[in-house]
Amino acid sequence: MDRQWVAEAVRTVEADANRSADTHLHVFPLPSRWGVNLYLKDESVHPTGSLKHRLARSLFLYGLANGWIGPNTTIVEASSGSTAVSEAYFARLIGLPFIAVMPDSTSPEKIALIEFYGGKCHLVTDPREIYSESQRLADETGGHFMDQFTYAERATDWRGNNNIAESIFQQMTLEPYPVPHWIVVGAGTGGTSATLGRYLRYRCHPTRLCVADPEGSAFYSAWTTGDVSTTAGGSRIEGIGRPRVEPSFLPSVIDRMIQVPDARSIAAMRWVHRLTGLDVGGSTGTNVAAAVDLIREMIAAGARGSVVTLICDQGSRYRGTYCDDSWVAGQGLDLAQHLAEFEEFLTL
Ligand SMILES: Cc1ncc(COP(=O)(O)O)c(C=O)c1O
């Protein structure tokens, strides 16, 4: 009986992938005289609005294939929001209850989205408790703790299978510089950067991987020092930057890391919207700010080529935070100098 249910659940999850078109790759408007092109891989157009739609699908297939998920399993996840939104969607798709454990600072927009997909939100005051509280709830309900932070790098097929890396390279084939100089992403679980870093080496691409890290994250110092026991206060940019080095973070596949101040991330998020009309989230701003640094270096070195980064989710999720001037001022963040820097960048 259970095997029949598992087979039907796998078919249902796979059918979701089959119904979905691939996410777009946008050209970012830069002066053509530079001979450097910037591309934004738009993961915000997934059915659940973020790059986490891919991860959630992989985690469900991984749990089903491992025999961890059955017809009566309550699904529990520790998430800052995006993953929980996508997992709530898949749990409902296969008819299972879903509980998301998250910090009580998570944006109301994200909580509403999880509940829209039928999920329950379990809030904790100390963000560091999300792991133990998730395990406790899974034990209490006889459910399964999906644990994205541990399994993101294992559940995603880094060799291909239309993962994000394969999709980027396929969509770059007709571009002037089809093999990017750099791919720039952020890290929350570290799963996206692990998949990209492994794929670049597996496919023998010269492309280098840069991870952009916000304030309050443990990743940058762990990557520079090699000390993975490093901790930090926690990030203000939702989805990226972690107070501890997560198990799915793979420093060995990362060629470069760039720290981006929160004010610069939010300024970049608004700059992207002004220049392209694309409504993007905070972690996209972090990515684009780091990409600007790398492009400055390429221009200074007279290098020609392409840089690819990600739109991770939609700005509509941050109306009450990064899009709100009084919230930004309340955080003591001054965007003006960074916006001026981005404008000056285009005059190079
Ligand atoms: C909005 C957003 N951007 C970026 C990321 C980072 O992705 P990953 O967990 O694959 O490192 C996340 C992860 O939760 C996210 O929610």
Side-chain angles (χ1 to χ4, degrees):
M1 277 298 290
D2 278 9
R3 285 299 294 276
Q4 275 173 347
W5 181 89
V6 168
E8 189 48 34
V10 167
R11 261 195 298 275
T12 305
V13 172
E14 289 283 87
D16 172 82
N18 194 47
R19 285 193 304 275
S20 294
D22 201 351
T23 57
H24 315 303
L25 187 68
H26 301 289
V27 179
F28 188 87
L30 293 178
S32 56
R33 66 176 178 277
W34 292 351
V36 178
N37 299 325
L38 174 61
Y39 300 86
L40 307 181
K41 175 69 172 163
D42 192 353
E43 295 290 288
S44 76
V45 294
H46 280 294
T48 53
S50 88
L51 78 173
K52 291 294 169 168
H53 194 83
R54 289 181 196 268
L55 175 65
R57 190 188 289 141
S58 300
L59 286 169
F60 269 89
L61 291 173
Y62 191 67
L64 288 162
N66 284 334
W68 295 341
I69 298 174
N72 307 308
T73 305
T74 296
I75 303 293
V76 182
E77 183 60 286
S79 164
S80 67
S82 303
T83 305
V85 173
S86 302
E87 287 186 10
Y89 168 91
F90 282 103
R92 187 177 69 176
L93 210 59
I94 61 175
L96 297 178
F98 177 76
I99 304 172
V101 179
M102 62 182 70
D104 54 15
S105 59
T106 300
S107 69
E109 290 92 342
K110 283 194 176 163
I111 292 173
L113 264 175
I114 295 163
E115 291 170 349
F116 171 79
Y117 287 118
K120 285 198 174 49
C121 296
H122 183 94
L123 305 181
V124 295
T125 42
D126 181 345
R128 286 166 295 191
E129 281 171 15
I130 56 173
Y131 318 100
S132 54
E133 187 63 5
S134 299
Q135 192 57 62
R136 187 188 67 73
L137 281 171
D139 297 343
E140 191 181 278
T141 58
H144 171 58
F145 174 26
M146 293 286 253
D147 193 2
Q148 60 163 335
F149 294 105
T150 298
Y151 295 111
E153 59 88 7
R154 264 176 257 180
T156 306
D157 185 346
W158 49 270
R159 292 178 187 77
N161 197 3
N162 195 32
N163 66 27
I164 192 166
E166 192 173 67
S167 171
I168 287 172
F169 277 85
Q170 195 283 320
Q171 291 175 324
M172 288 291 290
T173 44
L174 301 180
E175 296 306 310
Y177 306 103
V179 178
H181 256 60
W182 288 100
I183 296 182
V184 183
V185 298
T189 62
T192 304
S193 53
T195 301
L196 282 159
R198 286 170 171 160
Y199 184 85
L200 294 177
R201 284 165 175 73
Y202 172 62
R203 286 284 183 221
C204 310
H205 290 305
T207 307
R208 285 167 293 161
L209 176 67
C210 175
V211 170
D213 208 28
E215 295 170 21
S217 176
F219 291 138
Y220 181 79
S221 120
W223 183 79
T224 48
T225 64
D227 173 10
V228 292
S229 66
T230 311
T231 60
S235 159
R236 213 171 2 197
I237 305 297
E238 285 199 27
I240 57 171
R242 298 292 307 162
R244 70 174 197 182
V245 179
E246 301 295 355
S248 284
F249 180 71
L250 223 55
S252 54
V253 303
I254 299 169
D255 301 293
R256 172 93 177 266
M257 286 197 70
I258 292 177
Q259 285 184 301
V260 179
D262 294 348
R264 194 158 181 255
S265 292
I266 298 170
M269 166 192 154
R270 296 184 179 199
W271 182 60
V272 169
H273 188 228
R274 196 177 67 65
L275 254 69
T276 67
L278 295 165
D279 189 11
V280 304
S283 66
T284 304
T286 312
N287 290 343
V288 169
V292 165
D293 293 341
L294 296 170
I295 293 170
R296 279 181 187 278
E297 290 175 10
M298 287 173 71
I299 294 169
R304 291 174 170 266
S306 54
V307 174
V308 177
T309 191
L310 304 188
I311 295 176
C312 301
D313 66 355
Q314 295 150 3
S316 56
R317 296 179 175 188
Y318 307 102
R319 293 290 174 257
T321 53
Y322 315 140
C323 304
D324 179 337
D325 289 344
S326 57
W327 181 90
V328 169
Q331 298 286 317
L333 299 171
D334 171 14
L335 309 187
Q337 55 171 317
H338 301 294
L339 287 167
E341 178 238 321
F342 293 131
E343 292 307 326
E344 175 273 332
F345 166 66
L346 292 177
T347 66
L348 283 180

